[in-house]
Amino acid sequence: MSEKNETNPGSSPSEKTFSPIEWRDDGLWLLDQTQLPGREVWLECDRPEVVAEAIRRLSVRGAPAIGVSAAYGLVVGLRGTPSEDLERRFEEVYELLATTRPTAVNLRWALDRGRRVFERHRGEGTEATVAALLEWAHGLHSADVETNRRMGAHGSALFHPGDRVLTHCNAGALATAGYGTAVGVITAGFDAGKVAQVWVDETRPLLQGSRLTAWELDRLGIPFRVVTDSSVGALMSREMVDRIVVGADRIAANGDTANKIGTYTVAVLAARHRVPFYVAAPTSTIDPDTATGNEIPIEVRDSDEVTRFHGVEVSPAAAEAQNFAFDVTPHELIAGIITEVGVLEPPYVDSIRDALGRAQEPTG
Ligand code: MRU
């Protein structure tokens, strides 16, 4: 474990971005997000089991960040494997990482691309295979940041000067390899002089909004206010929200979008109050093999996350909670999907097919 401050000094918020994933001293380090905003602790992930556990307990979280961490997890997992055992070990590590979290499709997306790299190089022995996977993982890492910046450029065009923008959960640098998806779009909008203020939903039960998005916006110098999740309707009814931008964990072929629990509630209220509701996500979050939101697997997490808070019981000891980690927003409630290849508009079946055809595959 280590503690250090990662923000780059820069003049504009866009220049101040950072990555929660680092490859340094020939090893993988992840910023432990369970300890934010109180402490900045970095976890050294020297075994794939440590990477898997970090994903499972949300030390690293957010769909793109999970994908990039898993890519490095393959490298960590294959190192030192006798060449004759590579095949078996790859399947073991793949399975270990793939089964950590079910909803974020970027996890399988990254691991399946890692498999292709593995298959191309495994005949060259362990050292060459691991070197090829590491080069590919580095490529994925920097491509994700680049993708987010493109998304920011497309998305910022949607804002009007003075906009008060609401976001849910954390879809910032912390949830990606850097810069963020929804927060990246908001950052670009702020840099363009359009976003005046951000409403940050606290995001029960694990507070990704009030702990993480607020921490990021504070570092970036973007004005914000934290609100309870249940304030969203009141804010919109008082015309205090001009636009909403959220991230995504998986987008089905018809545009239905899974994101952090509570996103659907925000979208329904946005429709009622005619506030444009946007999803910002890279094309790697689109799953063309999932036809509609009904088929998206929704992670159910421990009851304790709801009934206890920081180790303190906030419900009677006998209480059991229903803890869906995500919900699905139907495509008809989404005004546009901001991707690195442009802002997709309805009908999403067509615009998504077209976007996937135009998206660039990372090399490896
Ligand atoms: O459970 P989490 O914290 O991993 O959930 C994260 C989200 O729901 C994000 O909005 C989503 O992954 C997009 S991150 C760019």
Side-chain angles (χ1 to χ4, degrees), residues 30-74:
L30 298 173
L31 179 57
D32 183 357
Q33 302 186 26
T34 63
Q35 308 228 23
L36 289 174
R39 294 174 69 208
E40 289 174 41
V41 176
W42 288 78
L43 298 174
E44 185 176 10
C45 299
D46 54 356
R47 287 174 298 117
E49 290 76 14
V50 181
V51 182
E53 190 50 20
I55 296 174
R56 215 173 277 117
R57 62 188 294 272
L58 311 196
S59 291
V60 61
R61 42 141 307 276
I66 293 170
V68 173
S69 304
Y72 284 117
L74 289 177

Side-chain angles (χ1 to χ4, degrees), residues 264-286:
Y264 171 55
T265 319
V266 175
V268 171
L269 284 161
R272 157 92 185 171
H273 295 286
R274 296 195 168 79
V275 178
F277 176 95
Y278 294 100
V279 170
T283 50
S284 54
T285 301
I286 299 174

Side-chain angles (χ1 to χ4, degrees), residues 61-64 101 169-171 175-176 181 208 247-249 259-260 326:
R61 42 141 307 276
R101 298 197 72 190
C169 193
N170 171 265
T176 64
T181 58
Q208 286 93 331
D249 281 80
N259 192 49
K260 178 54 56 195
F326 302 97

